[in-house]
Amino acid sequence: MNGTPRLRSAYPPTPQARQTKDAQYGTATGVSSPKVPLPAQATSQQDPQAPIIPFRLIDAPSQRLYVASFYIALIIWRLCDYYGLVSDETDSFPLFMKWVMIDGVVLYGLPGLKIPWLQWSSTTMTLLFAMHAVFDYMLMFRVPIPLEAWLVAFTRLFYDRELAVSERRVKPANVLHNASLILGKQIIHILPEGSAMLNPNQTAYCLDALTTSVDLPIWINQTNPILIELLRIDLDTNSNETLTIQPKEIKRLKKQADKQLSNRAFTSPRHLQYPVKKTGLYRLQRVVDESKLEVQRRLSDTLVVRCPSAYMRAVPETKCIGDLSDFYLQVDATPPIHIKYSKLVNNEESGHAVLSIPPKNPISPLVRQRTSGALVSKDSVRNADVSWARSQSTKISVNESLGVSGQWQYSIDEIEDGCGNIVDYSKRRLAGSHWRHSSTEMPLEQRFLVYERPRAALRGCDSQHALQVPKGKSIRLPLHISSTRSEDADRGGHQVSYLFTPAAELPSNQEHAEDASLADFLFQSHGSSLEVREPGLYTLQSIESAFCPGEILEPSSCLLSNPPEPKVSIETQTIPDRCAGNSIGLLVDLDLTGTPPFRLSYNIRRGGGPTTLKVTESNLLHTQLELRPTHSGHYTYEFLDISDAVYREPRSLRDQNLVLQQDVKPPASARFLDAYPSRKACIGEPVALGIQLSGEPPWRLDYELIHHGRRQKHKIGGIESTIHTLTTDKLSSGGEYSLALTAVTDKSGCKISLEQETKIEVALQRPKASFGCIEGQRSILALEDRMVRLPLRLQGEPPWTVEYRNLNDSDGDVTTGVFQNSNDGIEVAQAGTYELLHVNDGTCPGNVDTTANKFTVEWIPRPSIQVPESAAIELVQDKYIKREVCEGDEDAVEVLLTGTPPFDVEYNHRVKPERGSQSSNTKKFTAGINLASVRMETGEAGIHEYKISKVSDLSYNHDPRRFSPVQIEQRVHARPSAAFVEGGKTYRYCKEEDAVGGNVPIALQGQPPFHLEVEVRHHVSSKPELVTIPNIEAHKYNLHISHRLLSLGTHAVFIRKVRDAHGCQRQMDQEAPRVQVNVAEVPSISALETQTDYCIGDRISYMLSGSPPFNVFYAFNGQERKASVPTTNFRRLAEKPGEFTITAVTDQRSADCKAHTRITKVIHEMPSVRVSKGRTATVDIHAGGEAEILFEFGGTPPFEFTYTRSSNLPKSKKPQILDTKSDTSYEFTKTVLASDEGIYEVVAIKDRYCSFSTQKVYGQTGQKMLT
């Protein structure tokens, strides 16, 4: 076992064990070596677990004994401190901290001794220290441990006893629950009378193939019949018969009925179940009991009919939207009939319907409200007509419009006949039974599959708009198929029929011929289509799907035609020059045949040059093509092909050889080289335009300049070059000018009119530049060395080029900037006044507004701080000296800040205390305005120095190069203090003594003379008394409390305030040590309740004041008793009636003096009642008779009692309370008459003082005191 590994938390082995182990195993090589004593240092290095005190000096058991003895000594020392704490009432916190520190040193230092069995893990040591700390807290702060309360609560679970007024322990439950207070009860029986009735619950009965027999209940009460006769009337033949139930059968039926009863007499009501197998009307005709007399019968007829049934008549299950359901319900039942069926549409419930079928015979009593159990007349029962009860077969048609496609299902849910027989088919369906009518096997459900109806129409073609197609080509007929619920439908499975009349056979009214052919087409899938080729009239006739016929919508007719192929014929004429007579082009007349629009292609060739392909389009059947070249030469025109709207593939014209040739000499002309329709110009400057001329030079050009409705005509002659620059006069007005070329004349002298015109936009004014405003001014305050943007206001066309300079710049450099925005700005980084010199926009030079050409930039001043001098602070040799204050007084110094708020100020606070070393710290504060207050630190006496080292504001961070620190100095005087020499001590005095309020020593610190203020507070008074002592010249003072300030009880004496010669004052803390003065002569006792009268079982409670334990002296029924009370509560259980009087009380402090008093309480006995002399009495009466119930009372009148009448049931069953009544008696007896059957017993009794009840209220019973 010595080789077993040990856990880290296990006890270490003893030295003897370790030595034995070493001797057993030897060294690592297994060779033993002689034992040579080693030095202590070497041994320590080889065995780190060796104890601090070697075992050769003190062995391990002795060391553990010494540690245990030391721990016991600490416990005794701790208890001595606790005793001094309780007796002297000293402060608890220093003793608590003292023992926490001692426990920490001992517990955490113990493992360092390395004593075996006393070396624990750190977790164990922490847990032990926490347990000792909790023990120290509860001991030093006098926290009570409720061990007694816990023990009492646990003991009461097994032993519940309480002290009574007789000073003996009794069980409260025996006193509270006294069953002898209410005794006796009276039972009243009412003798029964016999009666019989058929089917008392009016239950409906029916027979069918599944139910071949039913049991008719015959109710008999308080009788033993020997003969029963039933009258049956046949429903089909109206014949009647009498059914006699013999005694033997009755005995068997009663035996069956008795099995359903338990522990009942033979006279108890019974239900005899008599089976019948025929339909008819049954009536109880006669009942004879054992006395050979007829039993009273209650008239009640019972119908046994055929069970109602219903089924569906099957119809086709395929329907179309809009069709009627058109099916039938076959119903067989006794009217009036109610049949309920439900409807499901696409597996969603769509509602229920109830159909009512009245009887064909209007005299049926089933349709009237029954006032009695008879269905036929009592006098003519044997000749009665009961045909109204026969089963009636009815066919009901159900016709509903099927407005939704999908699956429809009608189901019969329930059928009810006139007697109330109900057949519920829905429950059978839920049970999974596919039930059908037993005889016909007809279904109970009708299903339909409702399909959409197709619709067809033509799109893009009707009788007014023909469908054109080239000859020999086919086209898809624009047929659109939809449904009644959808615009688009799958074409698959639809058959379409249509009429066709060829175009050659169409009559003049464009209607179908009489012999028009009818054709069908079947759409097999969604992608199939109807292709047509023959021209003529097509009209849709019908459309059908696989299930439903459809509807043809308009347009339904379409005319298919083959228009003629496109053709062209041409005629030409020469276009002569009106002046010179030369040919300048050709005018070609085109006669087109086909369907517009036409597209005609032709080639143009000049001389032997390349050909140019041209295309012309026309929407007309006749048009003109003007061929007018701009250059002279020989031109050849060849027409290539033509196409139209129907024949889109071009058809060649080369076989017609449509070729035209001409020699052309064009007239003079002129045009602007620049293709832009508008130009821009500056006001007051001319405009130059490039002109291209054609013809034979020299040319003369006529043009007009139009502005504001005025025309200026100009002529330029002798132009030799084909490119000429036209320069206008200076345009002095702004706005829009129009320059129009009106005519040109070349060498031939022919003047050719021109239609060339261009627009010139002349700026209304020259561009302008000025500085904008910032917050209404052309000046700005900005952060020093930061970039500032000066707003510009530019007029004209971008971009603008602006020149400006800084007037404060000694060099006078001019800066040029280019700006794209009319509200752009200049970025500057130097203070000064900036001036605008010149501006140009994208077109013209401009002007600078001399009233707004300057902008001033100034820097925001940097932050600074000043301390204003006053009577409380003055400047002495670069240092501000603040007026002296007392320790803890509120004081501050105001500083003036310049700059932009808020300001961030940082200062260093250095303290030179009167005693101790210096200390310093750095603080910061933020000021929102230019005036701030620096709070002076007065919490410690000494010299305080404040050095403001950093200041920054909203605009600038701190710059040490531009700031000089500010120093402030102040002396703080220490506040005086005062304390009781024996703080926490309690001074005890007796009220009768004359020397009340002895001397209480007080120690003072500070600069005398002192002014002292003391507060005396009574523990029950909220208003304290103040004592003022002026001019105390010494540091010690004996306080004498005046007799008038001390009254009976405990007084707490506080030092409230002390002031010294410096004017410094200290308000003492309420938690500071205080002394108590206890003035007490005798204890007192007072009742917790104001009432005088009590009941047995009540608890009489008193409150004691004084020092526990107490001795309470009292008298009960003339016998003197003494009770020891360890707490301030005195309570006794009222066990017996009598008079309970408190006579005197003493406590621990006033054991030699009694407090005489007289507090008297009267304990009353509980009221009692006895019914029938306290016994259980049984009285039998007849119906209508009465019985007397006698109540006898005990207690103090008047009496109020509550009694109940409950059902008289066997003992095995709990009686049911039928009635509860309350009554009052002013005497000790009372008689009550009762005529109802039941058990009469009292449940509650109350007299003048007390009450008692056996009824459970919130699970408890007992009594209460009446108030």
Side-chain angles (χ1 to χ4, degrees):
M1 293 298 295
N2 291 336
T4 304
R6 291 181 177 268
L7 299 176
R8 294 182 59 185
S9 60
Y11 288 110
T14 59
Q16 293 81 356
R18 184 183 295 112
Q19 293 174 6
T20 305
K21 183 176 179 181
D22 294 342
Q24 179 180 357
Y25 293 99
T27 60
T29 58
V31 181
S32 61
S33 59
K35 298 182 179 179
V36 180
L38 295 178
Q41 182 178 2
T43 305
S44 175
Q45 292 178 356
Q46 292 179 2
D47 190 0
Q49 298 294 331
I52 299 299
I53 302 175
F55 294 142
R56 56 187 174 83
L57 297 179
I58 303 175
D59 59 0
S62 299
Q63 292 188 23
R64 289 194 289 269
L65 177 62
Y66 295 153
V67 170
S69 301
F70 180 71
Y71 182 76
I72 294 173
L74 290 179
I75 294 294
I76 296 174
W77 186 16
R78 193 189 326 258
L79 295 177
C80 292
D81 284 351
Y82 172 72
Y83 177 77
L85 176 69
V86 174
S87 60
D88 298 337
E89 296 189 2
T90 57
D91 194 5
S92 301
F93 184 75
L95 291 177
F96 169 70
M97 294 303 300
K98 165 188 171 182
W99 281 106
V100 167
M101 294 176 60
I102 292 175
D103 290 338
V105 171
V106 171
L107 292 176
Y108 284 102
L110 182 61
L113 298 177
K114 299 180 181 178
I115 300 174
W117 299 357
L118 297 181
Q119 292 178 268
W120 300 303
S121 63
S122 58
T123 303
T124 305
M125 297 305 301
T126 303
L127 182 60
L128 290 174
F129 176 72
M131 294 172 61
H132 281 73
V134 172
F135 178 71
D136 293 338
Y137 178 83
M138 299 182 68
L139 200 64
M140 299 306 166
F141 286 97
R142 291 175 285 180
V143 177
I145 303 176
L147 295 177
E148 182 180 357
W150 295 343
L151 182 61
V152 168
F154 179 76
T155 306
R156 283 187 176 180
L157 295 176
F158 309 98
Y159 182 78
D160 186 11
R161 293 292 187 270
E162 191 172 339
L163 278 173
V165 293
S166 59
E167 285 302 314
R168 65 186 185 91
R169 293 191 174 273
V170 296
K171 192 172 184 179
N174 296 336
V175 179
L176 294 173
H177 309 296
N178 188 357
S180 63
L181 297 177
I182 299 177
L183 296 176
K185 59 183 176 180
Q186 185 161 320
I187 303 173
I188 298 177
H189 286 299
I190 297 178
L191 300 177
E193 293 184 4
S195 61
M197 184 179 182
L198 176 64
N199 192 14
N201 297 326
Q202 298 294 320
T203 307
Y205 296 99
C206 66
L207 297 173
D208 59 8
L210 298 178
T211 305
T212 59
S213 175
V214 294
D215 293 334
L216 297 182
I218 303 174
W219 180 76
I220 58 174
N221 183 29
Q222 303 298 330
T223 185
N224 190 8
I226 59 173
L227 178 65
I228 300 176
E229 291 183 357
L230 294 177
L231 177 66
R232 171 184 171 271
I233 303 176
D234 190 87
L235 302 181
D236 296 327
T237 62
N238 288 332
S239 60
N240 55 75
E241 63 175 331
T242 300
L243 304 178
T244 302
I245 307 177
Q246 299 299 328
K248 185 177 181 180
E249 180 69 13
I250 295 174
K251 185 176 180 181
R252 185 184 65 81
L253 296 178
K254 286 184 61 179
K255 188 175 181 180
Q256 293 178 355
D258 289 341
K259 292 180 180 179
Q260 301 176 0
L261 301 176
S262 59
N263 298 328
R264 296 217 180 166
F266 73 94
T267 56
S268 299
R270 287 170 171 79
H271 288 82
L272 308 181
Q273 303 294 336
Y274 180 66
V276 295
K277 298 182 179 181
K278 296 181 181 181
T279 61
L281 186 145
Y282 291 84
R283 173 176 289 183
L284 187 61
Q285 184 169 285
R286 193 162 69 104
V287 178
V288 180
D289 62 4
E290 292 177 332
S291 60
K292 306 298 182 178
L293 298 177
E294 288 193 13
V295 178
Q296 180 184 359
R297 292 174 288 108
R298 299 181 186 178
L299 190 59
S300 176
D301 294 339
T302 300
L303 272 177
V304 179
V305 298
R306 293 191 182 93
C307 292
S309 63
Y311 58 88
M312 300 279 190
R313 284 187 176 270
V315 295
E317 296 186 353
T318 301
K319 298 283 185 179
C320 300
I321 282 186
D323 289 349
L324 296 177
S325 56
D326 194 20
F327 68 95
Y328 299 93
L329 300 176
Q330 185 66 42
V331 179
D332 293 323
T334 299
I337 307 169
H338 301 281
I339 183 169
K340 179 180 177 182
Y341 68 91
S342 60
K343 177 173 59 177
L344 293 177
V345 179
N346 293 326
N347 294 326
E348 292 185 2
E349 187 173 336
S350 184
H352 297 269
V354 178
L355 302 178
S356 298
I357 305 172
K360 297 179 181 179
N361 192 340
I363 65 172
S364 173
L366 299 179
V367 298
R368 300 190 302 268
Q369 185 175 2
R370 298 174 61 179
T371 59
S372 66
L375 294 175
V376 296
S377 175
K378 181 179 180 181
D379 301 330
S380 59
V381 62
R382 294 191 178 273
N383 299 322
D385 182 9
V386 293
S387 58
W388 45 267
R390 297 170 187 166
S391 180
Q392 177 180 312
S393 180
T394 307
K395 183 172 71 173
I396 305 173
S397 175
V398 179
N399 277 323
E400 294 185 7
S401 178
L402 307 177
V404 179
S405 61
Q407 184 176 3
W408 289 59
Q409 177 180 317
Y410 291 88
S411 302
I412 299 176
D413 294 336
E414 183 181 282
I415 182 172
E416 179 181 1
D417 63 6
C419 301
N421 295 296
I422 299 175
V423 177
D424 193 344
Y425 297 110
S426 59
K427 292 183 179 179
R428 302 187 184 185
R429 283 197 299 272
L430 291 176
S433 173
H434 302 284
W435 189 86
R436 292 176 178 267
H437 194 272
S438 61
S439 59
T440 60
E441 294 296 328
M442 291 297 180
L444 298 173
E445 297 176 352
Q446 176 66 56
R447 290 186 175 89
F448 296 111
L449 289 177
V450 181
Y451 295 93
E452 303 279 353
R453 292 182 182 272
R455 292 177 176 177
L458 298 174
R459 286 188 177 179
C461 178
D462 53 28
S463 59
Q464 302 298 325
H465 302 83
L467 192 63
Q468 296 180 342
V469 65
K471 293 180 180 179
K473 298 289 186 179
S474 62
I475 191 172
R476 178 182 296 180
L477 195 65
L479 178 61
H480 177 70
I481 297 177
S482 63
S483 67
T484 53
R485 296 293 180 182
S486 175
E487 288 297 326
D488 297 313
D490 190 354
R491 294 189 176 188
H494 292 86
Q495 183 171 356
V496 178
S497 62
Y498 61 92
L499 280 177
F500 171 69
T501 300
E505 300 178 6
L506 285 173
S508 59
N509 58 1
Q510 296 294 308
E511 296 290 341
H512 283 284
E514 294 181 358
D515 56 349
S517 60
L518 181 65
D520 295 328
F521 182 79
L522 179 62
F523 290 92
Q524 296 290 348
S525 62
H526 182 71
S528 59
S529 60
L530 177 59
E531 299 283 342
V532 294
R533 181 188 302 269
E534 296 295 330
L537 181 62
Y538 294 85
T539 301
L540 300 178
Q541 290 297 303
S542 64
I543 182 172
E544 293 182 0
S545 66
F547 305 98
C548 300
E551 182 182 1
I552 300 297
L553 304 179
E554 293 296 333
S556 60
S557 297
C558 181
L559 182 62
L560 180 65
S561 63
N562 296 134
E565 296 181 0
K567 295 180 181 180
V568 63
S569 61
I570 61 175
E571 292 183 1
T572 64
Q573 58 180 357
T574 303
I575 303 175
D577 189 350
R578 291 178 297 174
C579 180
N582 299 326
S583 175
I584 61 174
L586 289 176
L587 189 61
V588 182
D589 292 328
L590 300 177
D591 293 324
L592 301 169
T593 302
T595 305
F598 298 95
R599 181 182 177 90
L600 182 62
S601 303
Y602 62 93
N603 284 333
I604 302 176
R605 177 180 293 176
R606 179 186 178 191
T611 60
T612 302
L613 179 64
K614 296 288 185 179
V615 177
T616 181
E617 295 183 356
S618 175
N619 291 322
L620 305 176
L621 296 177
H622 177 79
T623 185
Q624 284 187 337
L625 177 63
E626 183 177 320
L627 303 175
R628 182 180 292 186
T630 58
H631 300 281
S632 60
H634 180 77
Y635 287 87
T636 300
Y637 306 94
E638 182 181 6
F639 293 91
L640 303 177
D641 53 52
I642 187 174
S643 62
D644 63 1
V646 178
Y647 299 88
R648 297 184 179 275
E649 296 181 1
R651 299 189 175 259
S652 178
L653 299 176
R654 294 185 183 274
D655 55 347
Q656 299 183 25
N657 193 22
L658 299 178
V659 179
L660 304 177
Q661 295 185 0
Q662 182 188 26
D663 291 327
V664 177
K665 192 174 185 180
S669 65
R671 66 180 183 86
F672 292 107
L673 285 176
D674 192 354
Y676 295 109
S678 178
R679 295 166 175 79
K680 293 183 179 181
C682 300
I683 189 170
E685 296 184 1
V687 177
L689 303 171
I691 307 297
Q692 182 178 11
L693 301 164
S694 61
E696 296 183 9
W699 292 276
R700 186 183 67 189
L701 183 64
D702 297 345
Y703 69 94
E704 291 181 350
L705 188 62
I706 306 167
H707 179 60
H708 289 171
R710 295 181 297 173
R711 295 176 178 270
Q712 296 179 5
K713 297 185 177 182
H714 301 273
K715 295 182 179 180
I716 303 175
I719 301 174
E720 296 292 338
S721 175
T722 57
I723 304 298
H724 177 72
T725 301
L726 187 153
T727 303
T728 66
D729 296 335
K730 290 184 178 181
L731 306 179
S732 58
S733 298
E736 183 181 83
Y737 287 80
S738 296
L739 194 149
L741 303 180
T742 57
V744 64
T745 306
D746 64 354
K747 182 178 179 182
S748 63
C750 293
K751 186 176 182 179
I752 304 300
S753 297
L754 300 176
E755 295 181 356
Q756 293 285 323
E757 183 177 352
T758 188
K759 303 291 184 181
I760 302 174
E761 296 288 341
V762 179
L764 297 177
Q765 59 182 4
R766 288 184 175 275
K768 188 177 181 181
S770 64
F771 278 118
C773 295
I774 297 179
E775 297 181 355
Q777 297 181 353
R778 291 184 179 87
S779 61
I780 186 173
L781 281 174
L783 296 178
E784 187 175 353
D785 300 332
R786 296 288 180 90
M787 191 68 67
V788 180
R789 188 175 186 272
L790 308 183
L792 288 176
R793 300 296 179 263
L794 304 173
Q795 298 179 5
E797 297 294 332
W800 292 271
T801 303
V802 180
E803 296 180 357
Y804 60 93
R805 65 177 177 177
N806 186 354
L807 297 179
N808 296 351
D809 189 1
S810 59
D811 297 336
D813 296 335
V814 177
T815 306
T816 302
V818 179
F819 305 95
Q820 301 292 334
N821 192 345
S822 59
N823 295 305
D824 217 326
I826 299 174
E827 301 285 344
V828 298
Q830 295 181 356
T833 301
Y834 289 84
E835 180 184 19
L836 298 178
L837 302 176
H838 186 68
V839 62
N840 289 339
D841 68 356
T843 306
C844 308
N847 301 322
V848 175
D849 186 358
T850 57
T851 62
N853 64 336
K854 294 181 180 179
F855 201 103
T856 302
V857 178
E858 296 179 349
W859 297 138
I860 298 174
R862 289 187 173 272
S864 63
I865 188 169
Q866 303 180 37
V867 179
E869 296 187 32
S870 63
I873 188 171
E874 59 180 352
L875 182 63
V876 178
Q877 296 181 356
D878 297 332
K879 182 187 296 185
Y880 290 94
I881 305 300
K882 190 77 170 63
R883 183 174 56 192
E884 298 177 354
V885 295
C886 297
E887 181 183 3
D889 287 351
E890 290 292 332
D891 195 13
V893 61
E894 291 187 349
V895 295
L896 296 177
L897 298 162
T898 58
T900 306
F903 301 91
D904 292 327
V905 182
E906 180 178 322
Y907 63 93
N908 181 266
H909 174 218
R910 179 184 298 274
V911 182
K912 298 178 180 178
E914 296 177 354
R915 292 182 295 273
S917 60
Q918 300 182 8
S919 63
S920 65
N921 61 344
T922 301
K923 298 185 178 181
K924 300 179 181 179
F925 70 89
T926 301
I929 56 176
N930 296 84
L931 181 64
S933 295
V934 179
R935 182 177 179 273
M936 313 302 286
E937 300 292 338
T938 60
E940 184 177 3
I943 297 175
H944 293 254
E945 295 181 353
Y946 304 87
K947 182 178 181 182
I948 301 176
S949 57
K950 294 182 181 180
V951 178
S952 60
D953 63 358
L954 181 65
S955 303
Y956 296 97
N957 294 325
H958 175 72
D959 189 352
R961 297 172 299 176
R962 304 181 185 183
F963 180 76
S964 298
V966 177
Q967 295 185 7
I968 303 172
E969 182 179 298
Q970 184 182 38
R971 176 178 290 277
V972 178
H973 293 290
R975 289 186 179 274
S977 65
F980 293 105
V981 176
E982 296 177 322
K985 183 177 179 180
T986 300
Y987 296 87
R988 295 181 175 87
Y989 304 100
C990 186
K991 186 176 181 181
E992 285 77 8
E993 296 179 2
D994 295 334
V996 174
N999 294 329
V1000 179
I1002 298 177
L1004 299 101
Q1005 294 181 359
Q1007 183 67 33
F1010 298 96
H1011 182 91
L1012 188 64
E1013 188 174 302
V1014 179
E1015 174 184 324
V1016 180
R1017 183 182 301 172
H1018 195 276
H1019 74 285
V1020 296
S1021 176
S1022 60
K1023 182 179 179 181
E1025 297 287 344
L1026 297 180
V1027 178
T1028 302
I1029 304 114
N1031 299 324
I1032 301 175
E1033 298 293 340
H1035 287 88
K1036 289 187 178 180
Y1037 178 76
N1038 291 324
L1039 175 66
H1040 178 78
I1041 303 175
S1042 175
H1043 177 77
R1044 66 178 182 84
L1045 299 178
L1046 299 177
S1047 59
L1048 184 64
T1050 302
H1051 302 75
V1053 182
F1054 303 87
I1055 298 177
R1056 170 177 280 188
K1057 191 185 301 180
V1058 62
R1059 188 172 68 245
D1060 66 354
H1062 291 299
C1064 297
Q1065 177 177 287
R1066 181 183 295 275
Q1067 189 81 25
M1068 304 304 293
D1069 189 4
Q1070 294 292 337
E1071 301 297 330
R1074 59 189 178 183
V1075 297
Q1076 290 187 350
V1077 177
N1078 191 357
V1079 179
E1081 180 182 14
V1082 290
S1084 64
I1085 184 170
S1086 60
L1088 291 180
E1089 299 92 358
T1090 59
Q1091 67 190 63
T1092 304
D1093 297 306
Y1094 288 82
C1095 298
I1096 293 178
D1098 290 344
R1099 290 169 176 83
I1100 307 175
S1101 301
Y1102 299 89
M1103 174 64 72
L1104 296 166
S1105 63
S1107 299
F1110 300 90
N1111 290 324
V1112 178
F1113 300 88
Y1114 67 92
F1116 180 66
N1117 287 337
Q1119 185 177 0
E1120 297 292 336
R1121 300 179 185 273
K1122 176 184 176 182
S1124 298
V1125 183
T1127 63
T1128 58
N1129 292 324
F1130 174 62
R1131 188 178 71 170
R1132 288 296 182 266
L1133 181 67
E1135 174 194 6
K1136 300 176 181 179
E1139 189 174 279
F1140 183 83
T1141 303
I1142 302 293
T1143 58
V1145 61
T1146 62
D1147 66 352
Q1148 181 184 16
R1149 296 179 180 179
S1150 58
D1152 299 333
C1153 185
K1154 285 185 180 181
H1156 294 281
T1157 184
R1158 189 169 186 84
I1159 304 175
T1160 301
K1161 305 291 184 181
V1162 178
I1163 302 173
H1164 300 275
E1165 66 175 339
M1166 297 299 299
S1168 63
V1169 61
R1170 281 162 176 73
V1171 182
S1172 300
K1173 303 296 182 178
R1175 300 186 300 271
T1176 301
T1178 302
V1179 179
D1180 295 331
I1181 64 173
H1182 294 280
E1186 291 181 336
E1188 291 184 353
I1189 305 176
L1190 177 62
F1191 298 93
E1192 297 174 315
F1193 305 102
T1196 304
F1199 300 98
E1200 296 181 13
F1201 62 99
T1202 302
Y1203 62 97
T1204 61
R1205 180 176 66 89
S1206 56
S1207 58
N1208 190 6
L1209 297 177
K1211 294 182 180 180
S1212 60
K1213 293 187 178 180
K1214 183 178 180 181
Q1216 182 180 1
I1217 295 177
L1218 305 176
D1219 192 10
T1220 302
K1221 294 183 179 181
S1222 297
D1223 205 344
T1224 303
S1225 176
Y1226 294 91
E1227 303 295 335
F1228 287 94
T1229 60
K1230 187 178 182 66
T1231 302
V1232 176
L1233 297 178
S1235 60
D1236 294 327
E1237 184 179 42
I1239 302 174
Y1240 292 82
E1241 54 187 336
V1242 177
V1243 295
I1245 177 66
K1246 178 171 69 173
D1247 67 354
R1248 182 178 179 181
Y1249 300 104
C1250 304
S1251 66
F1252 178 77
S1253 176
T1254 59
Q1255 290 179 324
K1256 291 188 177 181
V1257 180
Y1258 301 105
Q1260 298 180 356
T1261 63
Q1263 66 277 344
K1264 64 179 180 179
M1265 178 67 197
L1266 300 180
T1267 58

